[in-house]
Amino acid sequence: MNEPKKEQILLVDDEKHLLISLRDYLVFENFDVNVAQSGEEALEKLKTLTPDLIVLDISMPGMGGLGFLKRISSAEGKPQYPVLVLTARSMMADFFGNLDVDGFIAKPCDEANLVSKIRAIISKKKTVAEKQQRTVKKITVAEDDPDISR
């Protein structure tokens, strides 16, 4: 019997201890989890991964979370993956609220709250995708040649 496919999470944070503890907790919660300690490393992982959600720290050395977000976004600023911002800069919640991301959670966070947000975002994305797949388009073709229209 096949097990259902686990949702894939990409955790991007420069705090190694946080990556390890969150990864272990999310694996326990039945997610498939990959980690990256920088935006640059996350971009490399995206060459072979298609995550259901990216949990992203904004304040990191190098390109940082904002640079990473820009690199995975369209010209209109829409990320090509769902993104949940996880950051210690909770005082900047209004700024992050203006980003085109799927959610925001401040560090430190309650793991159960984080999992709840992750599941809500993934569920919402699945519902939208299912509705798009169910949209049936009908096409009418008219032909006035009687030999072809039979």
Side-chain angles (χ1 to χ4, degrees), residues 18 20 24 43 68-69 71-72 87 89 103 109 115-116 121 126-127 134 137 143:
L18 181 66
I20 293 168
D24 290 349
L43 287 175
F68 171 79
L69 195 56
R71 294 278 301 271
I72 65 164
T87 186
R89 295 187 176 200
C109 67
V115 168
S116 175
I121 291 168
K126 281 184 179 179
T127 301
R134 285 190 296 226
K137 296 183 179 173
E143 178 57 56

Side-chain angles (χ1 to χ4, degrees), residues 7 9 25-31 53 84 112-126:
E7 286 93 2
I9 308 293
Y25 186 77
L26 292 173
V27 166
F28 176 77
E29 290 291 328
N30 211 30
F31 293 101
L53 177 68
L84 173 62
N113 186 33
L114 176 63
V115 168
S116 175
K117 282 191 179 260
I118 288 171
R119 287 198 169 118
I121 291 168
I122 291 173
S123 176
K124 181 179 176 184
K125 293 294 177 180
K126 281 184 179 179

Side-chain angles (χ1 to χ4, degrees), residues 125-137:
K125 293 294 177 180
K126 281 184 179 179
T127 301
V128 169
E130 287 170 0
K131 284 181 182 177
Q132 288 174 343
Q133 286 179 344
R134 285 190 296 226
T135 302
V136 177
K137 296 183 179 173

Side-chain angles (χ1 to χ4, degrees), residues 11 15-26 35:
L11 288 174
E15 295 179 46
K16 190 171 185 170
H17 70 281
L18 181 66
L19 277 180
I20 293 168
S21 63
L22 284 181
R23 180 199 61 208
D24 290 349
Y25 186 77
L26 292 173
V35 297

